[in-house]
Amino acid sequence: MRRRHLTETWLVLGVSLGASAVWAVLSLLRKLTAGQPLGEQTTAMNSAVTPDRPWLDLAYQLAQIGLALVPVALALHLLTRDDPRARFGMGADFTKPWQDLWRGVLLTAVIGIPGLGLYFVARGLDLNTTIAAANLGETWWALPVLVLASVQNAVLEEVVMVGYLFKRWGQAGWSTWRIMLTSAVIRGTYHLYQGFGGFVGNVVMGLVFGWLYTRTKRVGPLVVAHTLLDVVAFVGYALLKDRVGWL
């Protein structure tokens, strides 16, 4: 049973965030060998695919968001196959919306403010690229899609990296601290495409989120916090990039 659980988790990661970690490492190696300091390079996120055909670009964006949630459905399917109430056990439900909301808002401030400072320090030390967080152009659907992308990122990462993995690795006999550290390091690794600052910041975020989850057994606040952090980053960048020079 222990081996089955471990094999299952690595397969789920292999078709989701584990694969993202591999691509992120390769992306970082490409940037490190480009002959230009990381601080002078830019990482573009949420980019248009067919900017000359906005209707098709919207279809691409929505398809990417939808397909990225398939591993969430897979993880929940695997858990509920053993326990039909598994999603309630991890707090992936709407039974405590106000509690999840206020905890998520508080967590946003705890993570977001120091994280922004770390980003600027890392960029100044040439340890991180400049993040261009939104590049969808001037379309009517750009901001709604950025919000949807924020929700998708949050649901994918928190349900898989915390709710699912903490359950399965616990069933495999791993200690709480081993689970927290492994999950946090993987989270940091699939952000390496941003640079070393992105890695460190997301490892810390993973440890904080993991610790809170062990106390509450609810991914709801984590999803709220992660969504708000990404909305501020994506939508804020889209609205301010032409008005604020240091972005």
Side-chain angles (χ1 to χ4, degrees):
M1 185 65 73
R2 177 178 181 273
R3 178 175 293 181
R4 192 195 81 177
H5 287 325
L6 290 176
T7 300
E8 180 189 291
T9 59
W10 295 121
L11 289 174
V12 170
L13 285 171
V15 297
S16 59
L17 295 164
S20 298
V22 173
W23 293 119
V25 170
L26 291 174
S27 176
L28 178 64
L29 290 174
R30 175 175 57 82
K31 290 167 182 172
L32 289 173
T33 56
Q36 184 180 24
L38 280 179
E40 296 178 7
Q41 299 185 48
T42 299
T43 297
M45 301 171 61
N46 299 301
S47 298
V49 180
T50 57
D52 58 322
R53 285 155 289 171
W55 61 271
L56 182 58
D57 199 22
L58 175 59
Y60 266 104
Q61 302 301 327
L62 294 178
Q64 289 173 352
I65 291 170
L67 291 174
L69 291 174
V70 173
V72 176
L74 174 61
L76 291 175
H77 168 74
L78 293 170
L79 289 179
T80 54
R81 184 180 57 182
D82 299 338
D83 175 11
R85 293 185 58 81
R87 69 184 184 91
F88 294 96
M90 71 167 72
D93 55 60
F94 298 98
T95 58
K96 299 179 180 179
W98 295 113
Q99 184 182 87
D100 290 346
L101 181 61
W102 74 258
R103 284 178 172 172
V105 171
L106 180 61
L107 191 56
T108 302
V110 170
I111 295 294
I113 296 173
L116 185 62
L118 175 63
Y119 164 69
F120 285 116
V121 170
R123 197 175 74 176
L125 294 174
D126 285 332
L127 295 174
N128 214 79
T129 60
T130 296
I131 306 300
N135 302 275
L136 294 178
E138 300 297 328
T139 59
W140 66 265
W141 48 260
L143 295 186
V145 164
L146 290 173
V147 172
L148 288 176
S150 301
V151 175
Q152 172 253 296
N153 287 342
V155 172
L156 172 62
E157 293 189 40
E158 305 317 326
V159 172
V160 173
M161 295 307 302
V162 181
Y164 168 72
L165 289 180
F166 275 49
K167 178 69 172 180
R168 279 296 190 245
W169 284 341
Q171 291 173 327
W174 285 21
S175 69
T176 299
W177 277 106
R178 183 182 182 186
I179 294 170
M180 287 173 55
L181 184 59
T182 305
S183 174
V185 169
I186 295 173
R187 185 190 294 260
T189 302
Y190 61 72
H191 284 91
L192 271 172
Y193 67 92
Q194 300 175 6
F196 297 106
F199 172 80
V200 173
N202 279 279
V203 168
V204 173
M205 177 177 169
L207 290 173
V208 173
F209 277 23
W211 176 85
L212 182 62
Y213 179 75
T214 62
R215 298 298 186 272
T216 65
K217 296 301 180 184
R218 294 195 62 79
V219 297
L222 312 184
V223 171
V224 170
H226 196 146
T227 299
L228 292 176
L229 288 168
D230 280 4
V231 167
V232 170
F234 298 166
V235 175
Y237 182 88
L239 294 176
L240 298 176
K241 64 180 179 179
D242 295 327
R243 298 177 177 87
V244 180
W246 47 264
L247 290 175

PDB file of all heavy atoms in Angstrom, residues 197-225:
ATOM      1  N   GLY A 197      15.053  33.985  -6.612  1.00  0.00           N
ATOM      2  CA  GLY A 197      14.132  34.649  -5.701  1.00  0.00           C
ATOM      3  C   GLY A 197      12.770  33.980  -5.707  1.00  0.00           C
ATOM      4  O   GLY A 197      12.135  33.802  -4.657  1.00  0.00           O
ATOM      5  N   GLY A 198      12.299  33.612  -6.894  1.00  0.00           N
ATOM      6  CA  GLY A 198      11.032  32.910  -7.010  1.00  0.00           C
ATOM      7  C   GLY A 198      11.066  31.576  -6.292  1.00  0.00           C
ATOM      8  O   GLY A 198      10.076  31.159  -5.678  1.00  0.00           O
ATOM      9  N   PHE A 199      12.217  30.903  -6.368  1.00  0.00           N
ATOM     10  CA  PHE A 199      12.361  29.617  -5.676  1.00  0.00           C
ATOM     11  C   PHE A 199      12.265  29.799  -4.168  1.00  0.00           C
ATOM     12  O   PHE A 199      11.459  29.146  -3.491  1.00  0.00           O
ATOM     13  CB  PHE A 199      13.698  28.981  -6.045  1.00  0.00           C
ATOM     14  CG  PHE A 199      14.024  27.742  -5.248  1.00  0.00           C
ATOM     15  CD1 PHE A 199      13.458  26.521  -5.577  1.00  0.00           C
ATOM     16  CD2 PHE A 199      14.894  27.804  -4.154  1.00  0.00           C
ATOM     17  CE1 PHE A 199      13.746  25.386  -4.839  1.00  0.00           C
ATOM     18  CE2 PHE A 199      15.186  26.680  -3.415  1.00  0.00           C
ATOM     19  CZ  PHE A 199      14.615  25.460  -3.752  1.00  0.00           C
ATOM     20  N   VAL A 200      13.080  30.695  -3.622  1.00  0.00           N
ATOM     21  CA  VAL A 200      13.107  30.901  -2.169  1.00  0.00           C
ATOM     22  C   VAL A 200      11.754  31.372  -1.656  1.00  0.00           C
ATOM     23  O   VAL A 200      11.231  30.852  -0.664  1.00  0.00           O
ATOM     24  CB  VAL A 200      14.206  31.913  -1.790  1.00  0.00           C
ATOM     25  CG1 VAL A 200      14.121  32.260  -0.297  1.00  0.00           C
ATOM     26  CG2 VAL A 200      15.581  31.343  -2.120  1.00  0.00           C
ATOM     27  N   GLY A 201      11.168  32.351  -2.327  1.00  0.00           N
ATOM     28  CA  GLY A 201       9.895  32.884  -1.880  1.00  0.00           C
ATOM     29  C   GLY A 201       8.804  31.833  -1.850  1.00  0.00           C
ATOM     30  O   GLY A 201       7.991  31.780  -0.917  1.00  0.00           O
ATOM     31  N   ASN A 202       8.781  30.952  -2.840  1.00  0.00           N
ATOM     32  CA  ASN A 202       7.736  29.939  -2.898  1.00  0.00           C
ATOM     33  C   ASN A 202       8.007  28.768  -1.966  1.00  0.00           C
ATOM     34  O   ASN A 202       7.064  28.108  -1.518  1.00  0.00           O
ATOM     35  CB  ASN A 202       7.543  29.473  -4.337  1.00  0.00           C
ATOM     36  CG  ASN A 202       6.674  30.425  -5.126  1.00  0.00           C
ATOM     37  OD1 ASN A 202       5.457  30.386  -5.039  1.00  0.00           O
ATOM     38  ND2 ASN A 202       7.320  31.316  -5.889  1.00  0.00           N
ATOM     39  N   VAL A 203       9.261  28.497  -1.659  1.00  0.00           N
ATOM     40  CA  VAL A 203       9.546  27.495  -0.620  1.00  0.00           C
ATOM     41  C   VAL A 203       9.017  27.986   0.722  1.00  0.00           C
ATOM     42  O   VAL A 203       8.357  27.232   1.463  1.00  0.00           O
ATOM     43  CB  VAL A 203      11.060  27.197  -0.533  1.00  0.00           C
ATOM     44  CG1 VAL A 203      11.374  26.387   0.727  1.00  0.00           C
ATOM     45  CG2 VAL A 203      11.526  26.427  -1.764  1.00  0.00           C
ATOM     46  N   VAL A 204       9.296  29.249   1.036  1.00  0.00           N
ATOM     47  CA  VAL A 204       8.791  29.818   2.292  1.00  0.00           C
ATOM     48  C   VAL A 204       7.271  29.801   2.300  1.00  0.00           C
ATOM     49  O   VAL A 204       6.634  29.423   3.294  1.00  0.00           O
ATOM     50  CB  VAL A 204       9.318  31.257   2.484  1.00  0.00           C
ATOM     51  CG1 VAL A 204       8.660  31.903   3.697  1.00  0.00           C
ATOM     52  CG2 VAL A 204      10.834  31.238   2.648  1.00  0.00           C
ATOM     53  N   MET A 205       6.657  30.199   1.197  1.00  0.00           N
ATOM     54  CA  MET A 205       5.201  30.176   1.087  1.00  0.00           C
ATOM     55  C   MET A 205       4.672  28.765   1.298  1.00  0.00           C
ATOM     56  O   MET A 205       3.676  28.551   2.007  1.00  0.00           O
ATOM     57  CB  MET A 205       4.790  30.692  -0.292  1.00  0.00           C
ATOM     58  CG  MET A 205       3.294  30.651  -0.571  1.00  0.00           C
ATOM     59  SD  MET A 205       2.949  31.376  -2.213  1.00  0.00           S
ATOM     60  CE  MET A 205       1.236  30.901  -2.435  1.00  0.00           C
ATOM     61  N   GLY A 206       5.328  27.778   0.709  1.00  0.00           N
ATOM     62  CA  GLY A 206       4.903  26.396   0.865  1.00  0.00           C
ATOM     63  C   GLY A 206       4.985  25.921   2.297  1.00  0.00           C
ATOM     64  O   GLY A 206       4.109  25.182   2.777  1.00  0.00           O
ATOM     65  N   LEU A 207       6.031  26.338   3.009  1.00  0.00           N
ATOM     66  CA  LEU A 207       6.170  25.947   4.413  1.00  0.00           C
ATOM     67  C   LEU A 207       5.079  26.590   5.270  1.00  0.00           C
ATOM     68  O   LEU A 207       4.493  25.934   6.139  1.00  0.00           O
ATOM     69  CB  LEU A 207       7.552  26.338   4.926  1.00  0.00           C
ATOM     70  CG  LEU A 207       8.731  25.535   4.366  1.00  0.00           C
ATOM     71  CD1 LEU A 207      10.052  26.134   4.827  1.00  0.00           C
ATOM     72  CD2 LEU A 207       8.635  24.071   4.786  1.00  0.00           C
ATOM     73  N   VAL A 208       4.808  27.866   5.029  1.00  0.00           N
ATOM     74  CA  VAL A 208       3.760  28.555   5.791  1.00  0.00           C
ATOM     75  C   VAL A 208       2.396  27.937   5.497  1.00  0.00           C
ATOM     76  O   VAL A 208       1.612  27.645   6.411  1.00  0.00           O
ATOM     77  CB  VAL A 208       3.756  30.061   5.464  1.00  0.00           C
ATOM     78  CG1 VAL A 208       2.561  30.745   6.131  1.00  0.00           C
ATOM     79  CG2 VAL A 208       5.053  30.717   5.932  1.00  0.00           C
ATOM     80  N   PHE A 209       2.114  27.721   4.220  1.00  0.00           N
ATOM     81  CA  PHE A 209       0.830  27.121   3.842  1.00  0.00           C
ATOM     82  C   PHE A 209       0.707  25.709   4.414  1.00  0.00           C
ATOM     83  O   PHE A 209      -0.361  25.311   4.895  1.00  0.00           O
ATOM     84  CB  PHE A 209       0.690  27.078   2.322  1.00  0.00           C
ATOM     85  CG  PHE A 209       0.206  28.370   1.710  1.00  0.00           C
ATOM     86  CD1 PHE A 209       0.368  29.586   2.354  1.00  0.00           C
ATOM     87  CD2 PHE A 209      -0.407  28.374   0.468  1.00  0.00           C
ATOM     88  CE1 PHE A 209      -0.085  30.772   1.789  1.00  0.00           C
ATOM     89  CE2 PHE A 209      -0.868  29.543  -0.112  1.00  0.00           C
ATOM     90  CZ  PHE A 209      -0.703  30.750   0.549  1.00  0.00           C
ATOM     91  N   GLY A 210       1.784  24.944   4.340  1.00  0.00           N
ATOM     92  CA  GLY A 210       1.757  23.583   4.857  1.00  0.00           C
ATOM     93  C   GLY A 210       1.535  23.548   6.360  1.00  0.00           C
ATOM     94  O   GLY A 210       0.760  22.728   6.872  1.00  0.00           O
ATOM     95  N   TRP A 211       2.206  24.445   7.061  1.00  0.00           N
ATOM     96  CA  TRP A 211       2.030  24.509   8.518  1.00  0.00           C
ATOM     97  C   TRP A 211       0.592  24.858   8.872  1.00  0.00           C
ATOM     98  O   TRP A 211      -0.003  24.240   9.759  1.00  0.00           O
ATOM     99  CB  TRP A 211       2.981  25.546   9.104  1.00  0.00           C
ATOM    100  CG  TRP A 211       2.789  25.743  10.587  1.00  0.00           C
ATOM    101  CD1 TRP A 211       3.336  25.012  11.595  1.00  0.00           C
ATOM    102  CD2 TRP A 211       1.965  26.742  11.209  1.00  0.00           C
ATOM    103  NE1 TRP A 211       2.916  25.476  12.815  1.00  0.00           N
ATOM    104  CE2 TRP A 211       2.074  26.538  12.617  1.00  0.00           C
ATOM    105  CE3 TRP A 211       1.163  27.773  10.736  1.00  0.00           C
ATOM    106  CZ2 TRP A 211       1.390  27.340  13.528  1.00  0.00           C
ATOM    107  CZ3 TRP A 211       0.483  28.566  11.648  1.00  0.00           C
ATOM    108  CH2 TRP A 211       0.601  28.347  13.028  1.00  0.00           C
ATOM    109  N   LEU A 212       0.028  25.845   8.169  1.00  0.00           N
ATOM    110  CA  LEU A 212      -1.354  26.232   8.454  1.00  0.00           C
ATOM    111  C   LEU A 212      -2.312  25.084   8.157  1.00  0.00           C
ATOM    112  O   LEU A 212      -3.269  24.844   8.911  1.00  0.00           O
ATOM    113  CB  LEU A 212      -1.733  27.458   7.624  1.00  0.00           C
ATOM    114  CG  LEU A 212      -3.149  28.008   7.858  1.00  0.00           C
ATOM    115  CD1 LEU A 212      -3.307  28.474   9.301  1.00  0.00           C
ATOM    116  CD2 LEU A 212      -3.442  29.159   6.891  1.00  0.00           C
ATOM    117  N   TYR A 213      -2.047  24.364   7.085  1.00  0.00           N
ATOM    118  CA  TYR A 213      -2.925  23.246   6.734  1.00  0.00           C
ATOM    119  C   TYR A 213      -2.904  22.157   7.801  1.00  0.00           C
ATOM    120  O   TYR A 213      -3.943  21.561   8.108  1.00  0.00           O
ATOM    121  CB  TYR A 213      -2.522  22.661   5.388  1.00  0.00           C
ATOM    122  CG  TYR A 213      -3.385  21.486   4.980  1.00  0.00           C
ATOM    123  CD1 TYR A 213      -4.686  21.685   4.528  1.00  0.00           C
ATOM    124  CD2 TYR A 213      -2.904  20.180   5.058  1.00  0.00           C
ATOM    125  CE1 TYR A 213      -5.492  20.618   4.159  1.00  0.00           C
ATOM    126  CE2 TYR A 213      -3.697  19.104   4.700  1.00  0.00           C
ATOM    127  CZ  TYR A 213      -4.997  19.329   4.249  1.00  0.00           C
ATOM    128  OH  TYR A 213      -5.786  18.266   3.902  1.00  0.00           O
ATOM    129  N   THR A 214      -1.738  21.892   8.360  1.00  0.00           N
ATOM    130  CA  THR A 214      -1.665  20.866   9.409  1.00  0.00           C
ATOM    131  C   THR A 214      -2.457  21.271  10.640  1.00  0.00           C
ATOM    132  O   THR A 214      -2.873  20.416  11.422  1.00  0.00           O
ATOM    133  CB  THR A 214      -0.207  20.592   9.825  1.00  0.00           C
ATOM    134  OG1 THR A 214       0.379  21.781  10.381  1.00  0.00           O
ATOM    135  CG2 THR A 214       0.613  20.112   8.642  1.00  0.00           C
ATOM    136  N   ARG A 215      -2.681  22.586  10.809  1.00  0.00           N
ATOM    137  CA  ARG A 215      -3.452  23.066  11.965  1.00  0.00           C
ATOM    138  C   ARG A 215      -4.951  23.111  11.670  1.00  0.00           C
ATOM    139  O   ARG A 215      -5.755  22.896  12.575  1.00  0.00           O
ATOM    140  CB  ARG A 215      -2.980  24.473  12.376  1.00  0.00           C
ATOM    141  CG  ARG A 215      -1.525  24.550  12.829  1.00  0.00           C
ATOM    142  CD  ARG A 215      -1.291  23.687  14.071  1.00  0.00           C
ATOM    143  NE  ARG A 215       0.055  23.848  14.607  1.00  0.00           N
ATOM    144  CZ  ARG A 215       1.112  23.138  14.214  1.00  0.00           C
ATOM    145  NH1 ARG A 215       0.967  22.248  13.236  1.00  0.00           N
ATOM    146  NH2 ARG A 215       2.282  23.317  14.773  1.00  0.00           N
ATOM    147  N   THR A 216      -5.327  23.410  10.435  1.00  0.00           N
ATOM    148  CA  THR A 216      -6.745  23.622  10.119  1.00  0.00           C
ATOM    149  C   THR A 216      -7.379  22.497   9.313  1.00  0.00           C
ATOM    150  O   THR A 216      -8.599  22.341   9.335  1.00  0.00           O
ATOM    151  CB  THR A 216      -6.916  24.923   9.325  1.00  0.00           C
ATOM    152  OG1 THR A 216      -6.270  24.789   8.043  1.00  0.00           O
ATOM    153  CG2 THR A 216      -6.317  26.111  10.077  1.00  0.00           C
ATOM    154  N   LYS A 217      -6.552  21.753   8.569  1.00  0.00           N
ATOM    155  CA  LYS A 217      -7.045  20.715   7.652  1.00  0.00           C
ATOM    156  C   LYS A 217      -8.021  21.290   6.628  1.00  0.00           C
ATOM    157  O   LYS A 217      -8.974  20.632   6.215  1.00  0.00           O
ATOM    158  CB  LYS A 217      -7.711  19.571   8.431  1.00  0.00           C
ATOM    159  CG  LYS A 217      -6.767  18.818   9.347  1.00  0.00           C
ATOM    160  CD  LYS A 217      -5.611  18.202   8.582  1.00  0.00           C
ATOM    161  CE  LYS A 217      -4.671  17.438   9.514  1.00  0.00           C
ATOM    162  NZ  LYS A 217      -3.494  16.909   8.784  1.00  0.00           N
ATOM    163  N   ARG A 218      -7.735  22.525   6.191  1.00  0.00           N
ATOM    164  CA  ARG A 218      -8.563  23.168   5.178  1.00  0.00           C
ATOM    165  C   ARG A 218      -7.677  23.850   4.129  1.00  0.00           C
ATOM    166  O   ARG A 218      -6.838  24.682   4.475  1.00  0.00           O
ATOM    167  CB  ARG A 218      -9.505  24.206   5.800  1.00  0.00           C
ATOM    168  CG  ARG A 218     -10.562  23.615   6.721  1.00  0.00           C
ATOM    169  CD  ARG A 218     -11.678  24.614   7.003  1.00  0.00           C
ATOM    170  NE  ARG A 218     -12.395  25.005   5.790  1.00  0.00           N
ATOM    171  CZ  ARG A 218     -13.336  24.252   5.202  1.00  0.00           C
ATOM    172  NH1 ARG A 218     -13.644  23.079   5.703  1.00  0.00           N
ATOM    173  NH2 ARG A 218     -13.950  24.688   4.115  1.00  0.00           N
ATOM    174  N   VAL A 219      -7.901  23.462   2.864  1.00  0.00           N
ATOM    175  CA  VAL A 219      -7.180  24.137   1.785  1.00  0.00           C
ATOM    176  C   VAL A 219      -7.903  25.416   1.359  1.00  0.00           C
ATOM    177  O   VAL A 219      -7.336  26.217   0.611  1.00  0.00           O
ATOM    178  CB  VAL A 219      -6.988  23.221   0.551  1.00  0.00           C
ATOM    179  CG1 VAL A 219      -6.138  22.017   0.901  1.00  0.00           C
ATOM    180  CG2 VAL A 219      -8.320  22.805  -0.040  1.00  0.00           C
ATOM    181  N   GLY A 220      -9.141  25.596   1.839  1.00  0.00           N
ATOM    182  CA  GLY A 220      -9.915  26.783   1.458  1.00  0.00           C
ATOM    183  C   GLY A 220      -9.173  28.088   1.673  1.00  0.00           C
ATOM    184  O   GLY A 220      -9.072  28.911   0.745  1.00  0.00           O
ATOM    185  N   PRO A 221      -8.633  28.357   2.883  1.00  0.00           N
ATOM    186  CA  PRO A 221      -7.892  29.610   3.094  1.00  0.00           C
ATOM    187  C   PRO A 221      -6.667  29.735   2.197  1.00  0.00           C
ATOM    188  O   PRO A 221      -6.315  30.846   1.778  1.00  0.00           O
ATOM    189  CB  PRO A 221      -7.486  29.527   4.571  1.00  0.00           C
ATOM    190  CG  PRO A 221      -8.454  28.581   5.181  1.00  0.00           C
ATOM    191  CD  PRO A 221      -8.764  27.579   4.118  1.00  0.00           C
ATOM    192  N   LEU A 222      -6.040  28.621   1.882  1.00  0.00           N
ATOM    193  CA  LEU A 222      -4.859  28.648   1.019  1.00  0.00           C
ATOM    194  C   LEU A 222      -5.256  29.045  -0.403  1.00  0.00           C
ATOM    195  O   LEU A 222      -4.553  29.821  -1.066  1.00  0.00           O
ATOM    196  CB  LEU A 222      -4.169  27.278   1.001  1.00  0.00           C
ATOM    197  CG  LEU A 222      -3.912  26.610   2.352  1.00  0.00           C
ATOM    198  CD1 LEU A 222      -3.129  25.320   2.157  1.00  0.00           C
ATOM    199  CD2 LEU A 222      -3.185  27.547   3.295  1.00  0.00           C
ATOM    200  N   VAL A 223      -6.374  28.511  -0.873  1.00  0.00           N
ATOM    201  CA  VAL A 223      -6.859  28.858  -2.210  1.00  0.00           C
ATOM    202  C   VAL A 223      -7.230  30.339  -2.270  1.00  0.00           C
ATOM    203  O   VAL A 223      -6.909  31.035  -3.240  1.00  0.00           O
ATOM    204  CB  VAL A 223      -8.065  27.976  -2.590  1.00  0.00           C
ATOM    205  CG1 VAL A 223      -8.706  28.475  -3.879  1.00  0.00           C
ATOM    206  CG2 VAL A 223      -7.636  26.521  -2.747  1.00  0.00           C
ATOM    207  N   VAL A 224      -7.891  30.836  -1.229  1.00  0.00           N
ATOM    208  CA  VAL A 224      -8.261  32.257  -1.178  1.00  0.00           C
ATOM    209  C   VAL A 224      -7.010  33.127  -1.230  1.00  0.00           C
ATOM    210  O   VAL A 224      -6.913  34.077  -2.027  1.00  0.00           O
ATOM    211  CB  VAL A 224      -9.078  32.573   0.087  1.00  0.00           C
ATOM    212  CG1 VAL A 224      -9.245  34.090   0.256  1.00  0.00           C
ATOM    213  CG2 VAL A 224     -10.449  31.904   0.022  1.00  0.00           C
ATOM    214  N   ALA A 225      -6.032  32.823  -0.373  1.00  0.00           N
ATOM    215  CA  ALA A 225      -4.807  33.628  -0.310  1.00  0.00           C
ATOM    216  C   ALA A 225      -4.047  33.585  -1.625  1.00  0.00           C
ATOM    217  O   ALA A 225      -3.599  34.618  -2.139  1.00  0.00           O
ATOM    218  CB  ALA A 225      -3.919  33.146   0.838  1.00  0.00           C
TER     219      ALA A 225
END
